[in-house]
Amino acid sequence: MNEILGSVWWLIVSLGVLVTFHEFGHYWVARRCGVRVLRFSVGFGRPLWSRRGRDGVEYVVAAIPLGGYVKMLDERETPVAPAEQSEAFNRQPVLRRMAIVAAGPIANLLLCVALLWLMFVIGRPDFAPVVGHADGLAAQAGLERGDTVTAVDGRPTPTWTDVQMALIPTALDRRDVPVRIERADGGEATRALALSRLPSAIDERRVLDAIGLAGRHDLVAARVGRIEPNTPAAGVLREGDLVTAIDGSPVGAWSDIPSLVERLGERGGTAMVEVDREGERLALELAPRRIARDSGEAAWVLGIAAAQPAPPERDAVLRHGPIEAIPAALNETVQQTRELVAMIGRAFSGRVAVQNTVAGPVTIARAANAYADLGVAWFLTMLAMLSLSLGILNLLPIPILDGGHLLYYLIELAKGSPVSERAMAAGQYVGLALIAGLMGLAFYNDIVNNLVR
């Protein structure tokens, strides 16, 4: 119940901030262009609060917090007295109208930069970019446990999140990339990660699993949590034992155990399993047994399961000074803009599943609550990405959105006269249909991703 209330609260806070800045962009530029603003509303529907300012603008907070609007004086909506026509939006030169319309998305882009700057100054706790486990393509590239990833495809990776953000788009494009590492012995090297060999169908949310790469923080300690009855480990190992070696091969994490047990089983016979039991080092004799799993495949096992791991501690902080944070925030905004535009292109081309690209309010609410639990810096990161997404999506040339209006004005500039009302009306219907389709897809994704799975 607390998670539900928290999700709703942080959704309202997030959308409230983003919508307010977006609409303020329209409002501020409209006022500077001499256009009279009648209403500034955050939210739709019945007003929960309203006040008329000294400037004559009605400021409103409405009941449905899924958007907002700035209502301006416009002859297309209401009769305008001749003395006030110069303040009407529709009477403005086309370049002024374009500036007013573009101001909303631009405000969101500027907000993104400001939020990222603040995040860098505060410092975002993260995990060090140290490899904890490598198999599959990662192991074939030569990545090993203990390697510190310093750059992916020329992009610096000071944290594990940066490693993920650099690898995901290249993996989706099936593009081979160089990975710069610092080895555990202090030497530097470059590994060629052959992402072109990834299978055609992978879960975009589990790209690193498909690559075979896991961070040091993902490692599960090789501590026994449960012993299955009537198995080789029953009566020999105990819950709480920390496995340190199997048949002379060291064990550093739980992920080391299956391959060592498999190798021991293929060899045949018994071997010594070394454990740390409450500070006492023991060597216990065990022989694995081959059993059939639920999938139908047979495997060699000891009959043990891992103990529930404690949450890993964040051992890195992404932080810059106030001056250094300015170019860092600008560069991050440019980088994320490129990735977002590329992701939209992948969605339209069918290279990524639409259920993983269009998020509805439930998904956004849960993400906002999760990021808020991680701390202020992480919440600012999420808010910045939402602001960037809102700005970019509003620039799409879809009627009703700001980008659709800009398209009309570009046509007007090209032909020397406004788009006909008939064409604009047709465009509005098309835009409504597209927006309704996107909203339907977003709610469908919410149901599939949050309720069905």
Side-chain angles (χ1 to χ4, degrees):
M1 188 63 179
N2 288 336
E3 180 182 355
I4 295 175
L5 293 177
S7 297
V8 172
W9 165 250
W10 289 115
L11 175 66
I12 293 173
V13 170
S14 301
L15 293 182
V17 171
L18 301 183
V19 169
T20 299
F21 270 83
H22 181 92
E23 299 305 331
F24 181 78
H26 293 310
Y27 165 85
W28 190 84
V29 175
R31 294 291 299 271
R32 296 305 175 274
C33 289
V35 175
R36 181 183 298 183
V37 177
L38 304 178
R39 176 180 291 179
F40 184 118
S41 179
V42 177
F44 298 110
R46 184 175 64 85
L48 299 177
W49 174 89
S50 66
R51 182 180 69 84
R52 188 170 298 278
R54 295 180 181 178
D55 52 6
V57 179
E58 182 185 12
Y59 297 92
V60 176
V61 176
I64 305 174
L66 298 180
Y69 62 92
V70 171
K71 183 178 180 180
M72 305 174 210
L73 190 66
D74 196 314
E75 292 177 299
R76 295 168 298 180
E77 298 180 3
T78 185
V80 177
E84 299 176 342
Q85 289 179 352
S86 63
E87 297 180 282
F89 175 80
N90 64 293
R91 292 276 183 159
Q92 304 304 310
V94 64
L95 291 179
R96 285 191 180 183
R97 282 179 275 144
M98 292 180 70
I100 294 170
V101 170
I106 291 174
N108 282 124
L109 296 178
L110 294 175
L111 176 62
C112 174
V113 175
L115 291 171
L116 289 175
W117 176 86
L118 185 57
M119 178 272 291
F120 282 128
V121 172
I122 292 174
R124 189 179 71 195
D126 209 319
F127 298 109
V130 180
V131 176
H133 176 73
D135 59 15
L137 294 179
Q140 293 168 23
L143 291 171
E144 299 177 350
R145 177 182 297 172
D147 289 345
T148 299
V149 181
T150 57
V152 174
D153 200 22
R155 177 178 173 181
T157 54
T159 69
W160 189 257
T161 297
D162 293 296
V163 174
Q164 292 177 299
M165 296 302 293
L167 283 176
I168 288 174
T170 53
L172 294 178
D173 292 336
R174 305 301 193 277
R175 181 165 58 85
D176 297 346
V177 293
V179 178
R180 188 73 180 167
I181 65 166
E182 181 179 311
R183 298 192 301 268
D185 60 8
E188 295 185 350
T190 299
R191 308 300 189 201
L193 196 54
L195 300 182
S196 58
R197 296 168 56 188
L198 282 170
S200 56
I202 60 173
D203 189 338
E204 293 90 352
R205 295 164 300 180
R206 303 182 65 85
V207 166
L208 292 192
D209 289 344
I211 296 173
L213 191 62
R216 181 176 63 186
H217 58 280
D218 289 321
L219 293 179
V220 176
R223 190 173 298 279
V224 178
R226 187 179 72 255
I227 300 175
E228 301 293 339
N230 302 318
T231 61
V236 180
L237 298 181
R238 295 182 187 175
E239 293 183 7
D241 284 350
L242 180 65
V243 182
T244 58
I246 295 178
D247 198 23
S249 298
V251 173
W254 188 267
S255 56
D256 296 332
I257 294 179
S259 59
L260 293 176
V261 172
E262 188 75 18
R263 189 170 67 187
L264 175 59
E266 294 295 336
R267 191 201 70 186
T270 62
M272 305 307 293
V273 175
E274 299 175 36
V275 301
D276 183 320
R277 179 177 295 171
E278 299 180 350
E280 183 181 2
R281 305 286 298 220
L282 302 174
L284 307 170
E285 192 174 61
L286 279 173
R289 180 184 303 165
R290 192 169 178 82
I291 64 169
R293 298 189 181 277
D294 295 337
S295 61
E297 297 181 356
W300 293 95
V301 301
L302 295 177
I304 57 178
Q308 182 67 30
E313 294 185 4
R314 299 183 183 271
D315 52 0
V317 178
L318 183 61
R319 179 183 287 123
H320 296 290
I323 303 301
E324 294 82 0
I326 296 174
L330 289 171
N331 291 336
E332 185 67 14
T333 300
V334 171
Q335 179 68 38
Q336 293 303 325
T337 299
R338 290 173 180 166
E339 298 298 345
L340 178 58
V341 172
M343 189 62 74
I344 293 173
R346 295 185 191 102
F348 277 108
S349 64
R351 284 181 290 164
V352 297
V354 293
Q355 66 262 29
N356 296 330
T357 55
V358 181
V362 175
T363 300
I364 295 174
R366 293 185 64 182
N369 187 54
Y371 276 91
D373 286 342
L374 292 175
V376 174
W378 277 101
F379 182 73
L380 291 174
T381 302
M382 185 219 65
L383 203 56
M385 295 304 100
L386 283 180
S387 186
L388 179 63
S389 300
L390 180 60
I392 297 299
L393 293 177
N394 260 284
L395 288 174
L396 292 177
I398 299 175
I400 295 181
L401 297 181
D402 294 329
H405 292 292
L406 289 174
L407 178 61
Y408 289 148
Y409 300 146
L410 287 173
I411 295 173
E412 181 178 341
L413 276 176
K415 64 191 290 281
S417 60
V419 177
S420 68
E421 291 188 7
R422 182 176 181 180
M424 291 185 67
Q428 298 290 348
Y429 285 117
V430 172
L432 281 172
L434 290 173
I435 295 301
L438 284 173
M439 291 179 63
L441 177 61
F443 281 107
Y444 170 78
N445 288 343
D446 271 347
I447 293 173
V448 171
N449 295 330
N450 295 291
L451 301 179
V452 175
R453 292 182 180 179

